[in-house]
Amino acid sequence: MTADQLAVSAPSTSPRPAAAPTLRIRALMLGDRINASGLELGTLVSSTPAAFRVHAGLAVIFRYGVVVLIGLLPSEEKVLIDGLKPRVIGEFSPYEEETAQAQLCNDENAEAIQPGGPICLAKFSDDRLLLVADALAKSTSLARDERRVAAVFDVIEPFARELAERGRTPRRRRAILQLIGNALLVQQRVAGRVAVAEKPDVLWEKPELDRLYARLEDEYELKERLDTLERKLSAVSETANALTDIIDTQRSLRLEIAVVVLILIEVAIGCIQIWSGTH
């Protein structure tokens, strides 16, 4: 066998490129709110939202009930969540959860989010990880609100069907008022505490990261989901208010009929008394 043949048949010993480092990111919605006042989990990285360096990872706590855990082991996550439970107001069971993977791309121009794939970051800096945490936390909160609104639609549908098929309105005014209350609660969460449409505070100090956050918004469709949710909430409120108005009108009509009947009875009794007195 010639040297050329040996060169062709020899196995390649060139080293394979090392896989890019990755971080596991997990967002959990623990309840309606988390009281982060005076919380000490480790080295403080950010105050708004409250973010702490925990072991080799990062824990970001949002006041609207979401905690985002970045680069922590499952055992470390469990200890941290158990420690937060006393601070959770209106704890959920089960928790709302979303996960993602962040991957190092070593090039700021290559920062992108592949559909269903990892989030490519130029470096695992605190500022970038806070942006990812913000987007993932908002997405997790929106997911729960979307389910709540869908449940309200499931309740409204029988009311609307009964009105369409039988021309009758439901008499359960309390149930309709509860629907309005649920819609108002979701509106208050989305517009007030979560503030999906608002950009995170870190962009005020790092405006150069605005393009990365815009990509995160597109990946999780935050604006589109918010618009859809607000349209559904408006439909719920309008439908519930219309049903309530119809019920109130029917009650007023029945009350007026009862008053007329009582007046007629009183007139009849008076006529009978007059007729009896004349005889």
Side-chain angles (χ1 to χ4, degrees), residues 21 25 29 33 47 65 73 76 78 84 95 119 138 155 171 175 188 190 241 247 278:
I25 305 174
M29 190 168 191
R33 283 185 294 172
S47 56
L73 298 174
E76 296 169 343
K78 185 179 184 307
L84 286 175
Y95 300 145
I119 302 170
K138 289 176 178 176
V155 177
R171 297 184 180 181
Q188 188 268 340
V190 173
N241 288 331
I247 292 174
T278 58

Side-chain angles (χ1 to χ4, degrees), residues 76-103:
E76 296 169 343
E77 291 179 348
K78 185 179 184 307
V79 171
L80 193 145
I81 292 170
D82 290 342
L84 286 175
K85 283 184 179 180
R87 293 176 169 267
V88 177
I89 301 171
E91 185 176 359
F92 296 151
S93 181
Y95 300 145
E96 190 72 36
E97 179 177 355
E98 286 196 35
T99 58
Q101 292 282 341
Q103 189 176 69

Side-chain angles (χ1 to χ4, degrees), residues 120-135:
C120 295
L121 301 176
K123 54 184 176 180
F124 292 153
S125 63
D126 293 338
D127 296 331
R128 284 175 167 81
L129 293 178
L130 284 174
L131 290 183
V132 175
D134 183 271

Side-chain angles (χ1 to χ4, degrees), residues 13-176:
T13 58
S14 59
R16 295 181 179 179
T22 60
L23 282 178
R24 177 172 174 265
I25 305 174
R26 186 184 180 201
L28 291 164
M29 190 168 191
L30 306 182
D32 286 324
R33 283 185 294 172
I34 298 178
N35 179 16
S37 177
L39 183 63
E40 295 181 3
L41 297 176
T43 304
L44 184 66
V45 174
S46 167
S47 56
T48 309
F52 301 90
R53 180 71 59 193
V54 181
H55 302 292
L58 200 66
V60 189
I61 293 90
F62 295 86
R63 59 189 176 91
Y64 50 84
V66 179
V67 56
V68 180
L69 308 172
I70 304 174
L72 296 179
L73 298 174
S75 58
E76 296 169 343
E77 291 179 348
K78 185 179 184 307
V79 171
L80 193 145
I81 292 170
D82 290 342
L84 286 175
K85 283 184 179 180
R87 293 176 169 267
V88 177
I89 301 171
E91 185 176 359
F92 296 151
S93 181
Y95 300 145
E96 190 72 36
E97 179 177 355
E98 286 196 35
T99 58
Q101 292 282 341
Q103 189 176 69
L104 207 59
C105 61
N106 294 321
D107 184 2
E108 189 169 344
N109 294 324
E111 287 186 323
I113 300 98
Q114 300 298 328
I119 302 170
C120 295
L121 301 176
K123 54 184 176 180
F124 292 153
S125 63
D126 293 338
D127 296 331
R128 284 175 167 81
L129 293 178
L130 284 174
L131 290 183
V132 175
D134 183 271
L136 198 60
K138 289 176 178 176
S139 177
T140 306
S141 181
L142 279 173
R144 180 171 180 83
D145 290 335
E146 287 164 349
R147 265 196 289 276
R148 290 182 66 183
V149 172
V152 172
F153 268 96
D154 291 340
V155 177
I156 283 181
E157 185 180 0
F159 292 164
R161 186 182 296 113
E162 184 177 357
L163 183 62
E165 294 177 355
R166 302 181 183 179
R168 298 178 182 175
T169 56
R171 297 184 180 181
R172 294 174 292 170
R173 192 173 187 274
R174 179 176 295 179
I176 296 175

